[in-house]
Amino acid sequence: CHPTFLAFALICEVSLLRAIMDGIPPLKDKRLIIKDLIFEKVKVRLYQPKTSTTGQRRGVLYFHGGVGRFGSIRKRHFFWTRAPLSRYDHTETLLFPCRYRLAPEFPYPTQFHDCLTATIHFMKTAQDYGVDPARIIVCGDSSGGTLTAAVAQALVNRKDVPKLRAQILIYPFLQAADFNLPSYQQNAKIPVLIRERTLILGLKYLNKDISAVNILLKGSHISEERRQKYQKWLSADNIPHEFKMRGYTPPGPPAPYSEEIYKLAKPFLEPLFSPLLCEDNVIAQLPETFILTCEYDVLRDDGLLYKKRLEDHGIKVTLCHLEEGFHGTIFLAAYSKVVTFQSGIKGLEKITKFLRLM
């Protein structure tokens, strides 16, 4: 399919998704106090259990997916009140979904800065909400997982806020250097996130020319020097053998390097967009991590490779791999009255179990 046609289709899709998500009415839940707040000019929504507790609670900041271009608090309200917050955990968690501003009206990296600003504000004021500052967790799905990882990295050297207790990354996008990893090959045509679409969404998010999509897929934006540097982090050898048994062929020689394509794609390789490419001295200081991956998802190997990088630096990682899962399965599990996705329900239960330990 021609990239221009795909771009037009994506513009229509984004507009439709925004309209649908903004049209979801606020869900009433008798177990929760729901408030709209402002954290340093960033809109957030508080979900607080009405049930009293004797001690301080944990606080979860949630960053939604949507490649920085769509998504809403209402959507995450539906997801989380139907899932871990109310189904499994009635008293111990305060949830703060962040309504960061969206592209293209607010260009990248506004989304990251909004999430970081909201997180720092909450970390400094957590006790005002009855939250233990030592029990603050950041969480996100898909591109929200990218934001989560980038925020966690940005906080490691700050002395004016407490340390994060943990980060939860749900099928996160973590690197734009190699689109030929096993999961990209195996799931190239599997909805909802096909290989070509992943890159086009990223280019649109960064307001870049999408005509170079095929050249980028071949890796022409990576110089030999960078390729050697990234090899120790992105090599398919770092992915367990069982994940390479389903239709993976080691790629041939890399495509010729293009300085022009590199200049176009340079933001792709910065840690804000590709947290997996962050330097070791930052990775070594990250908090305990939960990573959820899905077998039928092009982003699966991003999560697996990040797990290895973290563990190589002594960071405790809990991996939940959904063997029947696909990109978006966690959100769709919330609609269990319509259709049941057992993989998504399993993922929700694993997330909740992890939260209970925090």
Side-chain angles (χ1 to χ4, degrees):
C1 191
H2 195 277
T4 303
F5 175 79
L6 279 175
F8 176 75
L10 287 171
I11 291 171
C12 296
E13 179 186 34
V14 168
S15 299
L16 178 61
L17 285 170
R18 282 191 181 185
I20 291 172
M21 291 175 186
D22 289 343
I24 298 174
L27 184 66
K28 295 180 179 180
D29 192 313
K30 295 179 179 179
R31 294 165 294 183
L32 297 172
I33 298 170
I34 302 171
K35 297 180 181 178
D36 288 326
L37 305 171
I38 302 292
F39 286 178
E40 299 289 336
K41 299 183 180 180
V42 180
K43 296 178 181 179
V44 301
R45 180 167 287 169
L46 163 64
Y47 299 110
Q48 177 180 334
K50 290 181 179 179
T51 309
S52 61
T53 182
T54 55
Q56 291 182 310
R57 293 182 165 105
R58 71 177 71 86
V60 178
L61 283 142
Y62 195 91
F63 310 132
H64 65 75
V67 203
R69 303 178 75 224
F70 56 88
S72 75
I73 285 179
R74 292 187 182 100
K75 174 188 172 188
R76 298 306 158 187
H77 179 184
F78 185 90
F79 169 47
W80 277 93
T81 54
R82 289 297 178 102
L85 186 61
S86 63
R87 184 183 297 175
Y88 305 111
D89 187 353
H90 297 288
T91 63
E92 284 299 308
T93 302
L94 265 66
L95 175 70
F96 298 83
C98 175
R99 189 178 181 180
Y100 57 82
R101 291 168 292 175
L102 300 176
E105 293 86 350
F106 298 94
Y108 170 88
T110 300
Q111 298 69 37
F112 163 77
H113 291 302
D114 280 0
C115 292
L116 180 61
T117 297
T119 303
I120 292 171
H121 176 89
F122 178 59
M123 296 178 92
K124 291 180 176 179
T125 61
Q127 291 183 322
D128 296 344
Y129 301 94
V131 170
D132 182 348
R135 300 177 69 196
I136 295 174
I137 300 150
V138 287
C139 175
D141 67 301
S142 192
S143 61
T146 317
L147 291 167
T148 299
V151 165
Q153 291 178 0
L155 291 171
V156 297
N157 290 318
R158 292 190 69 113
K159 306 301 183 184
D160 58 333
V161 292
K163 296 293 184 182
L164 286 173
R165 177 64 183 88
Q167 60 176 338
I168 298 175
L169 311 178
I170 302 171
Y171 31 74
F173 175 95
L174 296 172
Q175 62 84 30
D178 190 344
F179 297 100
N180 288 290
L181 292 168
S183 61
Y184 270 103
Q185 288 190 27
Q186 295 162 341
N187 304 306
K189 300 299 182 183
I190 293 181
V192 295
L193 197 62
I194 66 174
R195 177 172 175 257
E196 187 178 41
R197 184 172 186 263
T198 303
L199 184 51
I200 291 176
L201 284 168
L203 287 166
K204 296 295 290 183
Y205 179 27
L206 297 182
N207 196 28
K208 298 293 185 179
D209 181 5
I210 67 164
S211 65
V213 61
N214 290 324
I215 301 175
L216 285 165
L217 286 171
K218 295 176 182 177
S220 291
H221 58 308
I222 306 297
S223 67
E224 181 59 29
E225 181 182 359
R226 287 183 178 274
R227 198 177 303 278
Q228 292 297 322
K229 177 181 179 179
Y230 297 156
Q231 181 70 11
K232 61 181 182 293
W233 302 333
L234 300 181
S235 172
D237 293 340
N238 295 336
I239 299 168
H241 176 69
E242 60 265 29
F243 295 102
K244 293 180 281 189
M245 296 175 64
R246 181 174 55 87
Y248 168 63
T249 302
Y257 172 65
S258 166
E259 183 70 21
E260 180 182 358
I261 297 300
Y262 166 71
K263 290 178 180 178
L264 169 74
K266 186 176 179 181
F268 270 22
L269 306 177
E270 296 170 353
L272 290 189
F273 196 88
S274 292
L276 182 52
L277 305 182
C278 195
E279 297 297 334
D280 288 337
N281 64 329
V282 173
I283 298 291
Q285 300 180 69
L286 289 171
E288 184 173 348
T289 302
F290 177 98
I291 300 175
L292 184 142
T293 57
C294 295
E295 179 62 26
Y296 299 99
D297 182 6
V298 291
L299 303 183
R300 180 198 69 197
D301 293 346
D302 285 21
L304 296 177
L305 291 169
Y306 204 47
K307 173 181 181 289
K308 185 177 189 307
R309 279 209 72 190
L310 291 166
E311 289 181 334
D312 285 349
H313 288 278
I315 308 301
K316 184 177 180 181
V317 179
T318 299
L319 175 69
C320 171
H321 179 66
L322 303 179
E323 294 182 357
E324 303 298 326
F326 54 90
H327 196 83
T329 190
I330 295 297
F331 173 69
L332 292 176
Y335 291 87
S336 56
K337 288 187 178 181
V338 179
V339 60
T340 299
F341 291 93
Q342 291 299 326
S343 62
I345 293 172
K346 175 185 174 182
L348 290 175
E349 291 172 346
K350 294 290 187 180
I351 293 168
T352 303
K353 182 179 179 181
F354 180 80
L355 276 173
R356 285 175 173 165
L357 299 174
M358 297 299 102

